[in-house]
Amino acid sequence: MLKAVILIGGPQKGTRFRPLSFEVPKPLFPVAGVPMVQHHIEACAKVPGMKEILLMGFYQPHEALSRFLVSAQQEFRIPIRYLQEYAALGTGGGIYHFRDQILSGGPEAFFVLNADVCSEFPLREMLEFQRRRGDAHSALMLGTTANRTQALNYGCIVANADTHEVLHYVEKPSTFVSEIINCGIYLFTPSIFQHIGDVFQRNQQELENSNGWQRAEVIRLEQDVFTALAGSGKLYVYKTDGFWSQIKSAGSAIYASRLYLNQYSQCHPERLAQNKPGGPIIRARVVTSPLICIFSSSARALCSAAHPHPASHLS
Ligand code: GDD
């Protein structure tokens, strides 16, 4: 049995998304017509054996978030819960704090996904890769290729080309390390908690004489855990050529929409405008808004503000 955790951050995060994030929390911002994290939920719900999806963040309970969770549970027929951190615990701190919730029911493995990425989410492929390797205790991260300059904005991975073991990991290096970057999508087994626990213990010792407890719980998966696991035979990378992009700003949300809309023509044609009898026939890729009028070649069909097409994109 499997679970998934989606890291949604909190109100102090996503500042590059302002002013858009004033209206709606960033994880719910629409990307290709549905809330950003719905793409993650849909991908997780499709993985055979997926039993529960946990959204983890430090947003206060929120009406829009609760409403979304109820409707997503109904649509994808899977339990989805929000676990609220008492403070920003970092990308690894929340997972550690809520480890009992993650481990309840005895999952053999669980995915962790950054909310602010758009991706093809090759989760099944990651699982198969991990099962083929036959090592039940290592962690797996999704990697993709960036150019030398872009790579500096991400976690950079140096891997063994044959075994795919991560030999070296540097988060946002100041000089070039590798063109393979961390996509923020991981497959962990329960043994990851031992490694996060080691970081917690170390933090606690270091902070013993200060107001330690709270800050010891702040753990970054990237700098604190992956950097230590690299080169120890416990961290592997699955490289994807599928689409992937970060969503940090309004501009990148438009780019992400484009990537998902492209995918819709295969997996969700119903979310795109359909050719209707008497309506315009859409033959190529087109994006419309309710304010745009489309005249068919026979000038018979007019799509106007009175009969708007939602944003459509057909191939
Ligand atoms: N629950 C929770 N608590 N989530 C958090 C917290 C926290 O304290 N801090 C960040 N997150 C969530 C964010 O909402 C986002 O979805 C994800 O964790 C990563 O956010 P950042 O910490 O802003 O990291 P980043 O996006 O700059 O870089 C990360 O993602 C890149 C891929 O998009 C790193 O993992 C990079 O290595 C990676 O390349």
Side-chain angles (χ1 to χ4, degrees):
M1 119 37 172
L2 298 164
K3 293 200 184 186
V5 177
I6 305 174
L7 298 173
I8 64 170
Q12 291 105 301
K13 286 255 154 199
T15 48
R16 274 177 281 172
F17 230 69
R18 290 177 185 165
L20 301 176
S21 52
F22 287 142
E23 293 288 318
V24 59
K26 183 179 164 187
L28 298 186
F29 189 79
V31 176
V34 301
M36 191 185 293
V37 289
Q38 185 166 321
H39 298 283
H40 301 59
I41 291 174
E42 188 172 345
C44 291
K46 275 188 192 150
V47 178
M50 185 64 65
K51 285 289 175 297
E52 186 178 42
I53 300 173
L54 302 167
L55 267 62
M56 200 173 281
F58 51 99
Y59 286 96
Q60 293 295 324
H62 200 284
E63 204 196 311
L65 189 59
S66 314
R67 253 187 287 122
F68 167 70
L69 293 183
V70 170
S71 80
Q73 291 199 70
Q74 283 165 356
E75 182 169 351
F76 300 106
R77 294 164 191 279
I78 187 161
I80 308 175
R81 284 189 296 142
Y82 174 52
L83 299 179
Q84 191 195 340
E85 295 162 25
Y86 62 85
L89 296 180
T91 47
I95 299 169
Y96 189 66
H97 183 78
F98 288 115
R99 60 194 179 282
D100 291 347
Q101 306 261 2
I102 297 173
L103 295 178
S104 79
E108 81 211 46
F110 60 99
F111 289 95
V112 172
L113 303 94
N114 288 359
D116 61 357
V117 298
C118 95
S119 172
E120 230 168 39
F121 297 113
L123 305 182
R124 280 183 194 227
E125 290 86 337
M126 289 175 75
L127 260 182
E128 274 161 29
F129 177 88
Q130 192 69 330
R131 285 179 180 155
R132 264 202 316 273
R133 285 195 49 259
D135 172 1
H137 297 295
S138 59
L140 184 66
M141 59 168 57
L142 185 68
T144 193
T145 310
N147 70 36
R148 289 176 71 99
T149 322
Q150 284 169 344
L152 304 178
N153 301 315
Y154 302 94
C156 291
I157 302 162
V158 178
N160 178 315
D162 300 320
T163 63
H164 307 281
E165 183 195 339
V166 176
L167 302 174
H168 189 49
Y169 181 90
V170 192
E171 181 65 20
K172 305 189 182 89
S174 45
T175 55
F176 178 75
V177 170
S178 165
E179 283 168 348
I180 308 173
I181 60 162
N182 169 16
C183 293
I185 299 172
Y186 317 108
L187 177 59
F188 293 143
T189 63
S191 58
I192 194 71
F193 290 120
Q194 239 168 303
H195 305 301
I196 308 181
D198 291 344
V199 176
F200 175 68
Q201 304 276 317
R202 217 173 35 237
N203 285 355
Q204 227 180 2
Q205 278 159 16
E206 280 169 17
L207 296 166
E208 221 158 46
N209 301 323
S210 59
N211 58 342
W213 166 256
Q214 269 204 8
R215 281 193 293 143
E217 276 218 311
V218 176
I219 296 168
R220 304 157 306 175
L221 275 181
E222 301 84 350
Q223 293 93 330
D224 300 330
V225 181
F226 299 152
T227 310
L229 286 186
S232 70
K234 297 200 175 79
L235 181 62
Y236 287 77
V237 58
Y238 175 79
K239 263 185 73 187
T240 180
D241 296 324
F243 73 82
W244 179 87
S245 179
Q246 240 185 358
I247 312 178
K248 290 287 186 194
S249 61
S252 56
I254 292 173
Y255 180 65
S257 290
R258 188 172 130 193
L259 296 172
Y260 281 132
L261 286 170
N262 244 329
Q263 193 194 35
Y264 281 178
S265 53
Q266 276 113 52
C267 67
H268 275 301
E270 80 291 347
R271 284 190 192 160
L272 304 170
Q274 288 154 19
N275 292 322
K276 292 193 186 111
I281 295 169
I282 302 166
R283 295 185 193 281
R285 286 161 192 266
V286 58
V287 177
T288 68
S289 94
L291 300 174
I292 295 176
C293 295
I294 302 175
F295 296 91
S296 74
S297 54
S298 66
R300 193 167 41 87
L302 168 64
C303 178
S304 69
H307 303 284
H309 257 294
S312 62
H313 184 104
L314 281 185
S315 49

